[in-house]
Amino acid sequence: MTGTEAAASLVTQQLDEGIAAWAELARQVAEPTVREQVEAAGRVVVAALQSGRTLLVAGNGGSAAIASHVAAEFLGKCIHDRHPLPAISLAESHSSLTAIGNDYGFDQVFARQVGALGRPGDVIVGISTSGKSPNILAALKVARERKLVTVGFTRSGQTAMNALCDVVVGAPSEETALIQQLHITVGHAICHLVEREMFGGTRG
């Protein structure tokens, strides 16, 4: 097999795996339990924003990029022009992350921010493809103590996040990259739901 053929084969494999993951997500969302998880996450975000509360989003690495992307959808727009909605990605401030990491340890980089910024009734979305990222778990624990609503984006099945979250949305894959792709889709779906419920927008 030539280098070009090997590259084409790899791309085809990745696309096939992605399509399979999307198909599995679609199949699971058609089931009441998974559909209800996504709808429940959307409802708690709507309720919080309607009450003047804030959405906090946290994740590491690729999940940090998803956290920033989701927050941006609320601050800007997902589908429809409308008023901006208060959302903060806790992965944004390099100064805060490195200061907290240096002084208190990397496990506390999100927990300290939740302790400072989180108010009762706010929502935090913790994103962890493994469901066991120590700094996400620490942030969720602080959020519980401060009476925030806790939402987890992770993989399917039981993870360490489940006991700390009011709502868990699990992506049906074992591959990190595919889980992240599915997480951003769920984030878009929730933002679209928020826009519809709060501003009456519909697609098209």
Side-chain angles (χ1 to χ4, degrees), residues 82-101:
R82 36 76 177 172
H83 293 296
L85 296 168
I88 301 170
S89 168
L90 301 182
E92 285 293 318
S93 174
H94 298 162
S95 296
S96 295
L97 292 171
T98 54
I100 296 169

Side-chain angles (χ1 to χ4, degrees), residues 133-155:
S133 301
N135 55 12
I136 297 297
L137 298 179
L140 293 171
K141 289 176 183 176
V142 172
R144 276 283 175 88
E145 292 168 1
R146 294 184 63 83
K147 302 188 184 306
L148 278 72
V149 181
T150 53
V151 176
F153 286 9
T154 185
R155 65 182 63 226

Side-chain angles (χ1 to χ4, degrees), residues 25-199:
L25 179 64
R27 185 192 69 78
Q28 290 200 23
V29 168
E31 299 293 328
T33 300
V34 177
R35 184 176 68 248
E36 288 167 3
Q37 288 176 352
V38 179
E39 291 174 348
R43 284 196 300 271
V44 299
V45 174
V46 168
L49 295 174
Q50 286 178 330
S51 299
R53 296 300 187 243
T54 300
L55 174 66
L56 309 177
V57 197
N60 296 289
S63 296
I66 293 172
S68 296
H69 187 129
V70 170
E73 299 284 20
F74 283 86
L75 292 167
K77 69 172 186 176
C78 183
I79 304 293
H80 305 284
D81 288 326
R82 36 76 177 172
H83 293 296
L85 296 168
I88 301 170
S89 168
L90 301 182
E92 285 293 318
S93 174
H94 298 162
S95 296
S96 295
L97 292 171
T98 54
I100 296 169
N102 185 64
D103 293 341
Y104 297 97
F106 190 66
D107 289 0
Q108 295 299 307
V109 294
F110 299 132
R112 296 281 296 185
Q113 294 185 73
V114 174
L117 302 172
R119 300 176 298 161
D122 287 346
V123 175
I124 180 170
V125 175
I127 308 174
S128 171
T129 58
S130 67
K132 59 184 181 182
S133 301
N135 55 12
I136 297 297
L137 298 179
L140 293 171
K141 289 176 183 176
V142 172
R144 276 283 175 88
E145 292 168 1
R146 294 184 63 83
K147 302 188 184 306
L148 278 72
V149 181
T150 53
V151 176
F153 286 9
T154 185
R155 65 182 63 226
S156 58
Q158 286 294 316
T159 73
M161 290 175 66
N162 290 61
L164 296 170
C165 291
D166 298 303
V167 181
V168 176
V169 181
S173 177
E174 295 299 316
E175 184 173 333
T176 297
L178 294 177
I179 294 171
Q180 289 171 339
Q181 291 176 39
L182 298 174
H183 282 171
I184 193 62
T185 299
V186 172
H188 283 156
I190 290 171
C191 190
H192 192 187
L193 176 63
V194 168
E195 290 183 339
R196 188 193 69 187
E197 295 298 317
M198 294 185 67
F199 303 101

